Amino acid sequence: MKISIIGGGAWGTTLGQTLVDNGHEVLIFDLNPLAVDKINGHHHPFFDTVLPDAVQATTDLRAVVDFSNYFLLSVPTKAVRSACKSINPLLKKPSVFINVSKGIEPDTLKRVSEIVESEITPDHYKGFVVLTGPSHAEEMILRHLTLLVSASNDLELAKEVQMIFSNDQYLRVYTSTDLIGCEVGGAVKNAIAVISGVCTGLGLGENARAAVITRGIVEIVKVVEIMGGKKETAFGLTGIGDLIVTASSENSRNFTAGKKIGLGMPVDEVYKSEKQTIEGIRTIEAMHKLSIEHGVELPMINVAYAILYGGLSIKDGLNKLLSRDLKSEDF
Ligand SMILES: NC(=O)c1ccc[n+]([C@@H]2O[C@H](COP(=O)([O-])OP(=O)(O)OC[C@H]3O[C@@H](n4cnc5c(N)ncnc54)[C@H](O)[C@@H]3O)[C@@H](O)[C@H]2O)c1
């Protein structure tokens, strides 16, 4: 089948290769002509790998919209709304939106599925799936074993996307009907990965990292429940699985951004030093807002927010966390 890919960055282009591996046709749209040229020259825009000839890209949005009525959205979360606004008037048929970006909109606290549904008019909208889980593009471009989850309110659609992406070489996709739990887990783990990176930049060891990952899961579960998902989903690939891969890896931009902050780099410098998407810092902003609006305690995320946006020193932030009332870990 034919799939239109919106966003030819690290992940979108890698998934384009997988779709071609699986016998599908793809056409990638990206605003950046340099990325498009690289892809059409059969090079991944960010990695030193050769792409199959059939992975093709263009800066012509209309051509990509006319190409199919299945859209893989692989732009940063902050670009999803504008991408949908551009696509919607060009659509001629009801379309399926498969999102892989991992974030929550800070101003509205909307998940990507909600953003898409609000920007695509009902006669152009056939359904939404999030494809998420522990995945570094750096590894999947080399066809290293990866497990993902295809989650949708519509189980048949989740199964269809499972079939489209799975293969017996390196990618196995599970389904889920907990769309909210999967979207939230994928977004909030990036915030925890930034915090884990800060600890590493500070020179703290593996004890601290294990603590951040484990208590991070507690914060993810709280957010999943507030936003209406199932807490059990946080214990699967899209929660714990994605947190493990992100919160302990130099391949993760969120972890690396946190590490730079821990080493003393100001946040705006961190943004300038990284050409690609760092979702976790925006997610910390969104989660802090959610914590206030819902009166729920998210200790690590709120201290991270105070450090990033409120001028709190990292030393005082750690002290604030450690001096909280002592309590039990009974579940
Ligand atoms: N890189 C990974 O390993 C990975 C894995 C899973 C999920 N993700 C998620 O996928 C999303 C994208 O990540 P990435 O690593 O590919 O980021 P990236 O920065 O490498 O690529 C994003 C691409 O989107 C393009 N873009 C931005 N706005 C656009 C628009 N309006 N229309 C078309 N193209 C536009 C950019 O030019 C860029 O090429 C993020 O939310 C990320 O969390 C990434």
Side-chain angles (χ1 to χ4, degrees), residues 9-11 30-31 46 75 100-102 135 137 253 276-277 279:
W11 194 219
D30 202 291
L31 294 170
F46 293 104
V75 296
V100 295
S101 70
K102 294 175 176 173
S135 43
R253 273 171 251 146
Q276 291 175 270
T277 313
E279 294 277 16

Side-chain angles (χ1 to χ4, degrees), residues 3 210 321:
I3 295 162
L321 282 171

Side-chain angles (χ1 to χ4, degrees), residues 210-261:
V212 168
I213 290 175
T214 315
R215 295 308 298 174
I217 276 292
V218 175
E219 297 194 21
I220 290 174
V221 165
K222 283 186 190 174
V223 179
V224 165
E225 285 193 305
I226 290 169
M227 295 192 85
K230 292 185 192 155
K231 70 175 179 195
E232 291 79 5
T233 301
F235 301 116
L237 288 165
T238 65
I240 285 183
D242 211 352
L243 185 57
I244 290 172
V245 84
T246 314
S248 58
S249 168
E250 301 283 342
N251 269 343
S252 159
R253 273 171 251 146
N254 294 286
F255 177 84
T256 309
K259 192 171 157 186
K260 288 177 184 168
I261 293 164

Side-chain angles (χ1 to χ4, degrees), residues 295-321:
V296 63
E297 213 192 348
L298 300 173
M300 292 193 301
I301 286 173
N302 285 337
V303 164
Y305 179 84
I307 292 169
L308 296 176
Y309 298 96
L312 185 71
S313 73
I314 298 180
K315 186 169 172 285
D316 288 348
L318 270 179
N319 189 257
K320 202 170 171 184
L321 282 171

Side-chain angles (χ1 to χ4, degrees), residues 13 16-21 24-28 36-44 49-58 67 141 143:
T13 305
Q17 171 174 275
T18 297
L19 289 166
V20 165
D21 285 351
H24 304 295
E25 290 176 58
V26 300
L27 185 58
I28 299 174
V36 167
D37 285 349
K38 271 201 120 179
I39 294 167
N40 290 337
H42 313 305
H43 289 288
H44 191 287
T49 50
V50 175
L51 294 170
D53 293 358
V55 179
Q56 290 290 315
T58 176
F67 183 72
I141 196 69
R143 302 182 172 88

